[in-house]
Amino acid sequence: MTSFGDLLGPPPTLLTGDDDAESDLLNGTDPAAVAAEHPSASIAWAYLAEAALADAEPEAAQPDVSRVMAAYAYARTGYHRGLDQLRRHGWKGFGPVPWSHEQNQGFLRCVGALARSAQLIGEEDEYLRCLDLLNDSDPRAITELGLD
């Protein structure tokens, strides 16, 4: 039985992460420099996307569309780099990607940032698709990312 309680489903996919990128980010290195040096590290793209979203959503009624689009692009890049990593780890396009496994969080955070930026530009289908992916990966991710 998997940790998600499905006897017939695939086992959870656990990414190995990028220790150097994660260490650089934790030590305060500019996320853009980390993404440039470690472009396959979804966590660096997640930092960039989340920062752009934070800048895009000030207290004003209208978000800064250029920052939203930057967030969308960063999140989309991290999402695709994460898909590449998931596939290399045996993921077949479905199955658990647990939030509790810290190295999975870069990918899941990118999906969350993509959902938020898609919603801000009115791309409802993409927003819902991202929520479905997060829910299929690990329902806890939606709560952890503040999307519930």
Side-chain angles (χ1 to χ4, degrees):
M1 177 181 279
T2 69
S3 63
F4 284 68
D6 185 351
L7 291 171
L8 301 176
T13 302
L14 306 177
L15 296 175
T16 53
D18 186 319
D19 292 340
D20 291 335
E22 292 166 16
S23 177
D24 288 347
L25 290 164
L26 290 173
N27 287 316
T29 303
D30 177 11
V34 177
E37 188 170 335
H38 307 279
S40 65
S42 290
I43 190 66
W45 298 105
Y47 270 69
L48 290 167
E50 291 166 349
L53 279 170
D55 291 345
E57 300 179 288
E59 295 177 20
Q62 288 293 94
D64 178 344
V65 72
S66 66
R67 297 304 298 155
V68 172
M69 294 312 297
Y72 188 99
Y74 291 139
R76 170 92 41 209
T77 301
Y79 161 80
H80 281 288
R81 297 313 293 255
L83 288 177
D84 293 343
Q85 293 170 2
L86 286 166
R87 289 182 188 112
R88 282 195 302 274
H89 283 80
W91 189 72
K92 304 286 189 226
F94 60 92
V97 182
W99 173 267
S100 61
H101 184 69
E102 191 171 333
Q103 291 86 347
N104 289 349
Q105 291 179 15
F107 167 73
L108 296 169
R109 287 170 57 184
C110 283
V111 177
L114 184 57
R116 284 195 306 278
S117 57
Q119 186 178 43
L120 286 169
I121 62 171
E123 193 179 7
E124 193 67 14
D125 288 346
E126 180 72 353
Y127 170 71
L128 294 173
R129 188 185 68 74
C130 289
L131 290 183
D132 285 345
L133 176 57
L134 288 169
N135 191 53
D136 291 346
S137 296
D138 184 348
R140 180 176 163 206
I142 290 174
T143 302
E144 292 291 337
L145 294 167
L147 292 167
D148 53 357

